[in-house]
Amino acid sequence: MKKSVMTSIIAIVAALTCLLGFVGCERKRMDDRIPDASLTRIDSGDIRSNTGLKTSMPLNQHHGKYVNLYIENNGSHSVVATINGQSERAFEAGEKGYIHLEVTQDLLGLDREYDFKVVPGTNGGSIDIHYEIVQDLCYYSEDTSK
């Protein structure tokens, strides 16, 4: 009797773990002042240059299903942000918001390299941004601008 109850409990916990792992979620914003247990901060900073942000790092699903790039465009020109050349989004002067990409492993289950870029928009110009790269179980989608 004890063995079947214990087996049932283990099966339920395993099923819930699998279910939660496959269910995506969307957060409306990231509050960088309140630590979140599911969130892993990867990189952040301020950039004032003509070239922008160009950084790469290996990521794995251990720290979350999604990688999120938060941008605050403090400059007077538009900028374009991408992760691995995907999730492209233009941020106008004064605009804040997120782009995200699902984190995957390579064919052998090893870490995959992720490229984060923020470059001048179509009209060129210098870049003045604050950025944060975080990995989480969820992705962020709400604009915090205007």
Side-chain angles (χ1 to χ4, degrees):
M1 178 78 165
K2 281 185 180 181
K3 187 174 183 178
S4 66
V5 170
M6 203 57 166
T7 304
S8 296
I9 291 172
I10 290 171
I12 290 170
V13 169
L16 286 174
T17 302
C18 290
L19 178 63
L20 291 175
F22 290 116
V23 173
C25 60
E26 175 183 358
R27 295 194 187 195
K28 293 299 181 188
R29 59 173 296 176
M30 173 183 65
D31 186 346
D32 60 345
R33 306 290 186 257
I34 300 172
D36 187 338
S38 69
L39 179 129
T40 301
R41 295 187 191 283
I42 296 172
D43 192 16
S44 65
D46 296 299
I47 295 178
R48 290 175 190 86
S49 72
N50 289 328
T51 58
L53 171 69
K54 293 180 182 170
T55 188
S56 295
M57 58 196 66
L59 299 177
N60 63 52
Q61 294 175 335
H62 176 74
H63 295 292
K65 185 174 180 176
Y66 297 95
V67 63
N68 299 274
L69 174 58
Y70 171 73
I71 299 293
E72 289 179 17
N73 185 358
N74 301 316
S76 56
H77 300 93
S78 67
V79 298
V80 176
T82 59
I83 304 171
N84 282 4
Q86 301 174 46
S87 303
E88 182 176 305
R89 178 171 169 196
F91 291 86
E92 298 301 322
E95 190 175 3
K96 303 173 186 178
Y98 306 92
I99 62 172
H100 68 275
L101 191 65
E102 187 171 342
V103 176
T104 59
Q105 305 301 121
D106 72 8
L107 293 175
L108 299 175
L110 302 173
D111 295 0
R112 186 174 294 236
E113 195 75 15
Y114 285 81
D115 299 318
F116 302 89
K117 293 183 182 179
V118 180
V119 297
T122 56
N123 295 330
S126 62
I127 290 181
D128 181 359
I129 63 165
H130 172 75
Y131 73 94
E132 294 189 29
I133 302 170
V134 299
Q135 195 172 343
D136 199 345
L137 296 173
C138 299
Y139 62 88
Y140 307 109
S141 66
E142 182 179 296
D143 293 337
T144 59
S145 63
K146 302 170 188 168

